[in-house]
């Protein structure tokens, strides 16, 4: 009887969460789908078709390219930094790096863009001091934006992969050494296979963070670097063409599909990693 009452209260407890999810996610999704498949008041797939052509397709490809590059570079550099922190004998170093990573991973948007413009922009302190402009340096292109994205992606990778590195049990390394395995063989046959799901999950997380970034790119490069988030803003505000609001909704649907594919890969990898490192 007691278990029945407890189960009933548990079911009612999730009702506020369900109502919140419906209002926050369900209603916008219905509006998005309704606008995507409607043109001039009639049902149509023209918006979705247009979102996958011309400049819109170029912006979608550009977002995927820069996100993939940031994910790979951030994943590699973040993993090496996390390994250095985990193996360090100085606890203050570990706590300092993890605290800084927690702050920098959430440092984005317009403040991040202004910080980099003041440092490495055309009139930035470092640019003028070292004369980087005379050597062709520019922050306002694909590679400059990649560098800025890495500023918050590497700390995010550190926060993601440190728990997995902590989960590598010392007994595994001792057993490998007792059987004559070298350090390279331990990582080749034990460490990397166990960590692979967590590493790939972190890389996918970085991809999603870079793919959805908007304010930093808008403040830094504007339309000089084709990104889908900037195209959505232009279409919604009528900055370039008027009456393309529903195309912006179709572009948003394209982003949701890409994000859904990313999460479809990420979640099984996280479950597999958690089973190994439990």
């Amino acid at each position: 009887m007691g278990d029945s009452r407890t189960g009933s209260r548990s079911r009612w407890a999730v009702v506020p969460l369900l109502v919140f999810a419906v209002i926050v996610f369900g209603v916008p999704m219905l509006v998005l789908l309704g606008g995507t498949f409607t043109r001039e008041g009639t049902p149509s797939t023209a918006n979705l078709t247009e979102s996958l052509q011309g400049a819109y397709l170029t912006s979608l490809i550009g977002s995927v390219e820069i996100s993939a590059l940031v994910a790979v570079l951030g994943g590699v550099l973040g993993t090496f930094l996390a390994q250095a922190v985990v193996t360090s004998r100085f606890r203050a170093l570990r706590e300092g790096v993890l605290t800084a990573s927690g702050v920098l991973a959430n440092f984005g948007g317009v403040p991040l863009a202004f910080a980099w413009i003041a440092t490495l922009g055309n009139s930035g302190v470092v640019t003028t001091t070292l004369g980087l402009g005379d050597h062709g340096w520019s922050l306002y292109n694909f590679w400059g934006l990649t560098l800025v994205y890495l500023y918050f992606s590497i700390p995010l990778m550190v926060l993601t992969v440190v728990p997995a590195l902590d989960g590598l049990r010392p007994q595994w390394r001792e057993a490998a050494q007792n059987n004559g395995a070298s350090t390279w063989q331990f990582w080749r046959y034990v460490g990397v296979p166990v960590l692979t799901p967590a590493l790939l999950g972190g890389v996918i997380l970085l991809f999603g963070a870079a793919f959805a970034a908007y304010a930093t790119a808008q403040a830094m490069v504007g339309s000089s670097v084709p990104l889908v988030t900037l195209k959505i803003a232009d279409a919604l505000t009528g900055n370039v063409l008027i009456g393309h609001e529903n195309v912006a909704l179709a572009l948003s649907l394209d982003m949701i599909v890409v994000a859904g594919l990313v999460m479809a890969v990420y979640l099984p990898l996280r479950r597999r990693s958690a089973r190994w490192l439990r």
Side-chain angles (χ1 to χ4, degrees), residues 43-126:
S44 172
T45 59
N47 297 318
L48 193 60
T49 302
E50 188 173 347
S51 72
L52 297 174
Q53 294 177 345
Y56 294 123
L57 178 61
T58 301
S59 67
L60 186 61
I61 294 174
S63 288
V64 171
E65 287 177 343
I66 194 170
S67 301
L69 181 61
V70 169
V72 172
L73 292 178
V76 172
L77 297 176
T79 300
F80 279 111
L81 179 58
Q83 174 64 11
V85 169
V86 169
T87 57
S88 174
R89 298 179 180 178
F90 301 101
R91 187 173 181 81
L93 175 64
R94 174 191 173 100
E95 293 178 351
V97 171
L98 292 180
T99 301
S101 297
V103 175
L104 297 178
N106 293 283
F107 183 49
V110 176
L112 176 63
F114 283 165
W116 278 89
I117 291 172
T119 305
L120 285 169
N122 290 340
S123 300
V125 175
V126 176

Side-chain angles (χ1 to χ4, degrees), residues 162-220:
V162 160
L165 290 172
D166 283 336
L168 282 180
R169 299 174 184 174
Q171 295 88 340
W172 298 346
R173 184 186 293 272
E174 294 171 359
Q177 291 174 342
N178 291 336
N179 285 281
S182 63
T183 301
W184 162 251
Q185 288 173 323
F186 167 76
W187 284 107
R188 169 67 177 83
Y189 296 105
V190 180
V192 171
V194 171
L195 292 175
T196 295
L199 296 177
L200 291 178
V203 169
I204 291 171
L205 187 62
L206 299 191
F207 177 90
F211 190 64
Y214 163 72
T216 302
Q218 177 64 27
M220 277 187 54

Side-chain angles (χ1 to χ4, degrees), residues 9-277:
R9 285 197 296 269
S10 299
R11 286 193 291 272
W12 282 107
V14 302
V15 171
L17 178 61
L18 293 177
V19 173
F20 177 81
V22 169
I23 294 175
V24 175
F25 299 107
V27 174
M29 192 64 190
L30 289 176
V31 173
L32 188 148
L33 291 175
T36 298
F37 294 102
T38 302
R39 174 164 284 194
E40 297 179 354
T42 58
S44 172
T45 59
N47 297 318
L48 193 60
T49 302
E50 188 173 347
S51 72
L52 297 174
Q53 294 177 345
Y56 294 123
L57 178 61
T58 301
S59 67
L60 186 61
I61 294 174
S63 288
V64 171
E65 287 177 343
I66 194 170
S67 301
L69 181 61
V70 169
V72 172
L73 292 178
V76 172
L77 297 176
T79 300
F80 279 111
L81 179 58
Q83 174 64 11
V85 169
V86 169
T87 57
S88 174
R89 298 179 180 178
F90 301 101
R91 187 173 181 81
L93 175 64
R94 174 191 173 100
E95 293 178 351
V97 171
L98 292 180
T99 301
S101 297
V103 175
L104 297 178
N106 293 283
F107 183 49
V110 176
L112 176 63
F114 283 165
W116 278 89
I117 291 172
T119 305
L120 285 169
N122 290 340
S123 300
V125 175
V126 176
T127 303
T128 54
T129 302
L130 301 180
L132 297 180
D134 299 333
H135 298 85
W137 164 257
S138 176
L139 185 66
Y140 312 111
N141 54 29
F142 179 88
W143 294 105
L145 191 60
T146 300
L147 178 64
V148 175
Y149 279 3
L150 286 174
Y151 189 73
F152 62 82
S153 296
I154 293 175
L156 183 59
M157 186 66 185
V158 171
L159 295 177
T160 303
V161 78
V162 160
L165 290 172
D166 283 336
L168 282 180
R169 299 174 184 174
Q171 295 88 340
W172 298 346
R173 184 186 293 272
E174 294 171 359
Q177 291 174 342
N178 291 336
N179 285 281
S182 63
T183 301
W184 162 251
Q185 288 173 323
F186 167 76
W187 284 107
R188 169 67 177 83
Y189 296 105
V190 180
V192 171
V194 171
L195 292 175
T196 295
L199 296 177
L200 291 178
V203 169
I204 291 171
L205 187 62
L206 299 191
F207 177 90
F211 190 64
Y214 163 72
T216 302
Q218 177 64 27
M220 277 187 54
V221 299
S223 59
S224 61
V225 177
L227 297 176
V228 66
T229 51
L230 302 182
K231 286 294 182 185
I232 291 174
D234 289 341
L236 287 175
T237 59
N239 188 29
V240 179
L241 296 173
I242 299 175
H244 279 220
E245 293 83 0
N246 286 359
V247 177
L249 297 177
L251 287 170
S252 301
L253 182 61
D254 296 338
M255 290 189 69
I256 291 174
V257 171
V258 174
L261 294 175
V262 169
M263 293 305 298
V265 177
Y266 173 70
L267 292 177
L269 290 175
R270 289 296 300 172
R271 283 197 293 270
R272 181 180 176 186
S273 176
R275 187 170 63 250
W276 272 99
L277 301 175

